[in-house]
Amino acid sequence: MFDNLKNKRVLFCYHTSTSYMAPPVFSEQQVLCGPYIDNGIGANGWPTRSTRPFHVTEQQYDITKLVKSLPDHQKPEVVIVRADAFRDNFPMNIGQLGIPSVLILGDTQHGPCESYFDPIRTLLYYALSEPYDFYVSDHTRHHMHFFIEAGLKNVHWLPALGVMEWGLSPSAERSYKLTFIGNTFRHPSRLQSLLALENAGLGAICGTFSQNVAAEHMNKSLLTFNKSLNGDVNLRTFEACFAGTCLLTDRLPPQSGLDLLFEPDHHIVTYGSNQELIERTRELLLAPRRAFLIGKTAYLEAMQSHHPSLKVDQLSALIYGGDFPAIYRGDAEPRGRFDPTYPLAALMNRLACYELLQEWHRQSDHLTILAMPDSEPKLAQDLVDLPRLSLLWRDHQAPDSFTTSGVAAQITLAPNAQGAMASLVLAGSLDDIITLGTSLPPFILLTQRPTTTVKQALAERGFSIPHEQYGNLYSRNASFPPLRQNTPAEAEAEAETT
C-alpha cells in the first residue's frame, strides 16, 4: 500500500487569493502559503502564511526560510507549488528542502499581454530552474509536451486537480434555461458566442459569482454555456458537471484530453461554431428531459472519476509509486517525446512562434495557417491543438513526424494553396517565399532566423517587421495582431459579464 498525502504534512504554495479561487485541500495537516495569503489560522487549525517576508524579488521567495519559521510538528513532508504565467508564485531553493516536491503547471493559455508576453516560456524557464520531482498539468494538457521536450522528467496530466465539489445533486427544479457563469474579459470569442445566442433569441443569464454560489446557479440551470480560451479544459467544465447541469462547451482537439474525460452527447454537448451552438441549444431546450439526463450522467461521471478526494489519491499514487492512471501519463500524448539532439534554443524559438499565434487565436473566430514545405514541421504539430485554427501543409506529402506525433489527420495537404487565402504563412527558406509568387498573405512568420537574402526578398515584396517583440514575423501594412474595436453591443455585453 503506497503512502497518501492525506496522512502527510503538506506545504502548499498557492498562487492566488483564496477569495478568488478556493485552494485544494491535500491534507488536514496542510500549511497554506503564498503571496496573496495572510498570516493566520486555516479552517483545519493549521497556519496560513504570507510569503512576502521571504521574497527575494517581486516574484521569487526563499522557501527554506519559510519552512524554518514553522514549528517542528508542522514542518512539511512534501511541498506542492501551483505556479502560472503571471509569475506571482515562484519559490526558490526547492531542492534544499530534501522532501518530495510537485509543481502544478497552471495557466499558460493566456497572453501575450501587457503584463506577460511569454506565458509558456515563463513557466518553462521557472520549471527548469528548480529541481522538482514531479510536474503536473491540470487545465492545459496540450502544452505538457513542451515541458517534456525541454528534458523535464515526470511530467504528467491530472485534470480537475483543485476543482471543488459543493455537495449538490442534480435538481429536478430548473429556474433557468441557459446560464453563463464567468466573464468575457480577454475572451472575445466567448463574447461573440454569447452575442450570437442573444441575437438568436437564446440569451443566457450571465454573471460572476463566488465558486459556491456559481455552482448553485448552474445547479438550477438546464443548460450552462462554456467556451475555452485557447484549447484548455477549464475549471468550468468540471464545475458544471459537479453541478448536474447540461454543459454546452466548444469542441476541442484531441490533444486537450476533453474526449478522454467526457463523452460528447452522453456527458456533455459540444459545438464547433456559433451556428452549431445555436442549433444545439434550441434542440436541448425543446428536449429538456434529454438535457436533464445528460447533466445527471455528467454529474455521476464527475463524482466517480473526478471527485477532489480521488484527485488527492491519484496525486499520491504519482508521488509514492501507486497506480497512476495510464491516460494521465505524459507519454500518452504522442508529441511528448524528449529528443536530446534537439536544441533547447530551437524549442524556445518554436514556443515564441506558438505563443504569438496562440494570442492571435485568442482574439479570433478562426485562423487559416499555410505552412510551406521548408517551415518547421514541429511548429505545425504544435499548432493543431488550437481549436479555431485550420492548418494547411503546402506539399503533396506530409513529413513522417506528422504521423508519429499523432497529428496527421488534423493537417490538410494543400500543394496548390495560395498565400492570399491564409491568415498567415509559415516559411522557412527563400524558396518558400519565392514559391508564393504574387499571392501574398498579410503576414509571414519565419520559423528560423532569416538570412540577408531572405530579408531582402521580403522587403522587395513589401514586408516589414511590425514589432521587435514579434521576432521573425513580417507584415504587409498590417498591425499584429489585427485588432478591431468592440461594437457598442459588444462593449455593453462585455461590461455586463465582467
Side-chain angles (χ1 to χ4, degrees), residues 304-320:
Q304 177 179 321
S305 301
H306 304 295
H307 193 276
S309 180
L310 177 60
K311 293 298 151 179
V312 176
D313 292 340
Q314 291 173 340
L315 183 57
S316 300
L318 178 63
I319 297 171
Y320 299 112

Side-chain angles (χ1 to χ4, degrees), residues 326-390:
I327 63 168
Y328 297 164
R329 298 191 62 84
D331 56 15
E333 218 279 53
R335 296 181 301 174
R337 301 289 184 271
F338 173 60
D339 179 359
T341 66
Y342 190 77
L344 182 62
L347 173 62
M348 293 301 179
N349 180 65
R350 264 172 53 210
L351 270 168
C353 296
Y354 178 90
E355 288 168 333
L356 190 67
L357 295 177
Q358 175 179 255
E359 169 61 4
W360 195 5
H361 176 271
R362 179 186 71 83
Q363 301 183 38
S364 304
D365 290 328
H366 188 265
L367 294 176
T368 298
I369 305 297
L370 176 61
M372 302 300 287
D374 290 339
S375 64
E376 168 63 274
K378 284 182 177 289
L379 178 57
Q381 293 159 201
D382 299 336
L383 291 169
V384 298
D385 58 34
L386 295 172
R388 300 184 301 279
L389 183 149
S390 298

